Amino acid sequence: MTSAGDLLIARPKRFELPVWAVLLGLLLRWSWRAAWWCLRHPVATGTAALALTLYVEYDWPGLVVPVVLLSAASAVWRWRHESSWWAWLAGPLLGSLRRVFVYRRVWREAMTLCGLAATYDHRTVLPELLAVRSDQALDVLTVRMVRGQTPEEFQNVTANLAYAFGRRHARVYSECPDEPPTRSGRLGWLLRAVDRVRFRDRPTVVYLVLVRTDALRTVVPPFPVPTVPDFTALALARREDLRTWSLHLLATHVLVGGATRRGKGSVLWSLVRALGGGIASGLVRLWVIDPKGWMEFAIGRPMFARFACKSFEAMADLLDEAVEVLRERQTRLAGVVRVHTPTEADPLVVVVIDEMAALTAYLQDADLRKRIASSLGLLLSQGAGVGVLVVAALQDPRKEVLPFRDLFPTRIALGLTEASQVDMVLGDGARNRGALADQMPRWAKGVGYVILDGTPEPIRVRFSYVTDDDIRAMAVQHPAPVDAADILAQVGRETATEPARVPLPRRPSGPLLPESLRNLLDRDNGGERR
């Protein structure tokens, strides 16, 4: 205590640690951090320890020889099975390098400027970058959100995040974007247990997918035509991660929205090609409406059981017949099954409409337009369960043009002219979640956004390009059977010339029903196979 005139100053006695105690505390602190880092990075720690051991024992040859042998083994692995090479070696290694040298270097700046940083107790809190996994085209960043954040906050700044990291395209997923693989074999039980941890639900984590290399710039060749189509997985397009996107067609309706010259034909012809094997066997019947007057679908006419292209009355009759098929199946299947199973005797009917607006908005005959709208409303609201499906394409998705667009469970958005049209096609909020269909470049014909089953986040795909020669070859190899148009008696038949149909051998098989179940059904029907 000191005194300066009338001012009395009191100072507490300072406790000073000795220098050796301070140094010991810092040493313990740094040792703990180093040990914790080693525990969090066992692969890097083990690799460094092994390299040091080899160098001490064998000098430089101890490092060079293993590197050469591992490189040779890696090259052979990639040559024999590239997908597993990326999944187990190249992907994790490249992701670890990019996490340190690319993303962590600018992480604080990017999160702050994109508005994802928060302040708590006068301290800036950032989302935590947990891991980075790479493949041939994508970087998948696993990010732990700040407490109180939601995935929507990341989805609203998807474009900002893409450009912040020097990319043009990005997606934000609230759940893991990869699907758990199917495990089998002796170690299947162990791999399934690992997958339960790897693909578990993590509400505090979001996945930021950055497109490093745009795999959709190249034209996608047509996919092989399966002999028996799988209606739950029809291969139509290539995804950004180079995997195949497949359409689940069974018990759904499909709406394709896109401006003119944006590749709607690629979507429709890819679907027709995927159904080619079922068309030839009689498992699928295509009823096609082409209001453009032969311009799009006439080249594949032998594959269609019904085809209307000249008269709007004939198009209305075709839709009325589809409603008759719907009513007949409802009466026959009521109380038996809830979802129709396609067979050759009771095939799947797919009504394909190239330009829906020509029937619902631009048709001048008001009575005929109401008649078509009534049939379409019944088909869309009741036809999925009985195997009468509608696949429609249009350019203008406004409610005035297509009043029942909400009845299409499956939607595909190609290049559109306005930002508001993206939400009209894919649903509210789709554009904020990364579906920038209104910003498609000129080269992106056949590139569009789709919604994965069970997740609200859109993904970007490119549909295969089916040339005129491919269509002609399909029409020759997979024509519809002679009796393809005789599901019901024809009403107001289209005046278009019917193609010459060659009778094909019919294999009595039900592709989607096991033989044991077919035998059981035959026994219940008195032994009569339909």
Side-chain angles (χ1 to χ4, degrees):
M1 182 179 295
T2 59
S3 177
D6 297 334
L7 181 62
L8 188 65
I9 302 175
R11 293 191 180 97
K13 186 177 180 179
R14 298 181 60 185
F15 177 75
E16 295 184 358
L17 287 174
V19 176
W20 66 268
V22 174
L23 295 177
L24 180 61
L26 293 176
L27 180 61
L28 291 175
R29 182 180 179 183
W30 293 337
S31 299
W32 166 250
R33 288 188 174 181
W36 180 245
W37 188 93
C38 292
L39 291 175
R40 292 184 59 188
H41 304 83
V43 176
T45 303
T47 302
L50 178 62
L52 181 61
T53 303
L54 292 175
Y55 177 74
V56 172
E57 292 291 335
Y58 304 103
D59 202 19
W60 286 109
L63 297 179
V64 174
V65 173
V67 169
V68 172
L69 293 178
L70 290 175
S71 300
S74 174
V76 173
W77 186 1
R78 182 180 183 182
W79 171 53
R80 299 296 297 177
H81 202 276
E82 185 174 3
S83 60
S84 64
W85 180 79
W86 273 105
W88 296 100
L89 178 63
L93 180 60
L94 180 60
S96 300
L97 294 176
R98 293 185 63 81
R99 177 174 181 262
V100 174
F101 296 105
V102 176
Y103 296 109
R104 290 195 64 86
R105 185 171 55 86
V106 296
W107 187 255
R108 174 176 290 273
E109 179 184 1
M111 293 296 104
T112 303
L113 297 181
C114 290
L116 295 174
T119 302
Y120 173 72
D121 196 16
H122 307 289
R123 182 170 59 92
T124 301
V125 184
L126 299 174
E128 182 182 358
L129 178 60
L130 299 179
V132 177
R133 190 174 185 88
S134 302
D135 58 18
Q136 300 99 311
L138 306 178
D139 287 340
V140 182
L141 282 64
T142 304
V143 182
R144 178 182 287 125
M145 298 179 290
V146 175
R147 190 176 298 274
Q149 281 185 335
T150 62
E152 286 74 15
E153 297 182 43
F154 283 79
Q155 292 168 351
N156 291 336
V157 293
T158 300
N160 306 69
L161 290 171
Y163 283 91
F165 294 112
R167 303 299 169 195
R168 291 191 179 275
H169 304 287
R171 309 280 178 272
V172 174
Y173 296 91
S174 57
E175 299 179 0
C176 185
D178 294 329
E179 299 177 358
T182 302
R183 304 297 191 182
S184 60
R186 295 181 179 179
L187 297 179
W189 63 273
L190 177 61
L191 296 176
R192 286 192 293 269
V194 173
D195 290 338
R196 279 196 293 270
V197 176
R198 180 182 175 188
F199 295 94
R200 69 185 186 276
D201 184 28
R202 305 172 68 185
T204 61
V205 169
V206 294
Y207 301 89
L208 174 62
V209 179
L210 295 165
V211 181
R212 190 175 68 252
T213 301
D214 195 351
L216 304 185
R217 277 189 169 270
T218 57
V219 176
V220 179
F223 294 94
V225 181
T227 304
V228 179
D230 182 359
F231 299 115
T232 62
L234 298 173
L236 301 186
R238 177 189 295 163
R239 295 171 39 162
E240 287 178 321
D241 56 4
L242 299 178
R243 292 190 294 175
T244 300
W245 179 77
S246 299
L247 172 67
H248 189 293
L249 183 63
L250 196 64
T252 189
H253 304 292
V254 183
L255 176 64
V256 183
T260 182
R261 309 300 299 173
R262 285 297 184 175
K264 294 189 294 295
S266 295
V267 182
L268 298 178
W269 280 115
S270 296
L271 176 60
V272 173
R273 181 177 179 85
L275 296 173
I279 293 173
S281 65
L283 190 64
V284 182
R285 305 290 169 86
L286 288 185
W287 293 13
V288 178
I289 297 178
D290 188 359
K292 296 179 181 179
W294 294 83
M295 291 304 297
E296 180 66 33
F297 281 97
I299 192 172
R301 178 66 181 91
M303 302 182 70
F304 310 144
R306 297 291 309 279
F307 185 54
C309 63
K310 297 179 180 179
S311 168
F312 284 102
E313 289 81 2
M315 299 176 193
D317 292 339
L318 187 149
L319 293 175
D320 289 342
E321 284 194 35
V323 173
E324 290 185 36
V325 175
L326 180 150
R327 295 299 191 197
E328 187 272 337
R329 288 185 177 178
Q330 284 179 333
T331 303
R332 176 163 46 87
L333 301 178
V336 180
V337 295
R338 292 189 299 172
V339 178
H340 170 264
T341 301
T343 61
E344 295 176 4
D346 201 12
L348 183 73
V349 178
V350 182
V351 181
V352 180
I353 305 175
D354 183 30
E355 183 51 59
M356 176 76 83
L359 305 180
T360 60
Y362 307 147
L363 183 59
Q364 295 181 354
D365 190 333
D367 294 335
L368 194 58
R369 187 170 63 246
K370 292 180 181 178
R371 177 183 164 194
I372 290 175
S374 176
S375 298
L376 284 173
L378 289 172
L379 293 174
L380 292 173
S381 61
Q382 304 177 27
V386 295
V388 183
L389 311 181
V390 177
V391 178
L394 80 167
Q395 299 182 27
D396 189 353
R398 290 177 302 168
K399 204 73 173 180
E400 299 81 12
V401 176
L402 187 62
F404 28 72
R405 66 167 186 246
D406 294 334
L407 297 178
F408 287 91
T410 303
R411 305 181 190 182
I412 301 170
L414 302 175
L416 297 167
T417 57
E418 300 178 7
S420 60
Q421 293 180 349
V422 180
D423 291 345
M424 294 179 188
V425 176
L426 295 180
D428 291 339
R431 192 179 187 278
N432 289 335
R433 295 192 295 269
L436 304 179
D438 58 305
Q439 298 182 6
M440 276 308 177
R442 292 184 177 180
W443 58 264
K445 296 181 179 179
V447 178
Y449 293 87
V450 298
I451 302 294
L452 283 176
D453 293 337
T455 60
E457 293 86 3
I459 65 169
R460 187 164 164 263
V461 301
R462 182 162 190 169
F463 291 88
S464 63
Y465 178 62
V466 185
T467 64
D468 291 351
D469 292 337
D470 293 329
I471 298 173
R472 293 188 183 95
M474 286 193 305
V476 173
Q477 297 173 5
H478 307 286
V482 176
D483 59 345
D486 298 329
I487 294 181
L488 291 177
Q490 303 302 299
V491 179
R493 187 60 182 260
E494 172 65 46
T495 57
T497 304
E498 285 292 317
R501 302 186 188 275
V502 179
L504 298 177
R506 302 284 297 278
R507 296 188 302 273
S509 62
L512 297 184
L513 288 178
E515 188 63 28
S516 59
L517 182 56
R518 289 174 59 85
N519 294 334
L520 179 61
L521 294 176
D522 292 341
R523 187 169 61 252
D524 293 341
N525 293 331
E528 180 181 354
R529 183 181 290 270
R530 292 188 303 169

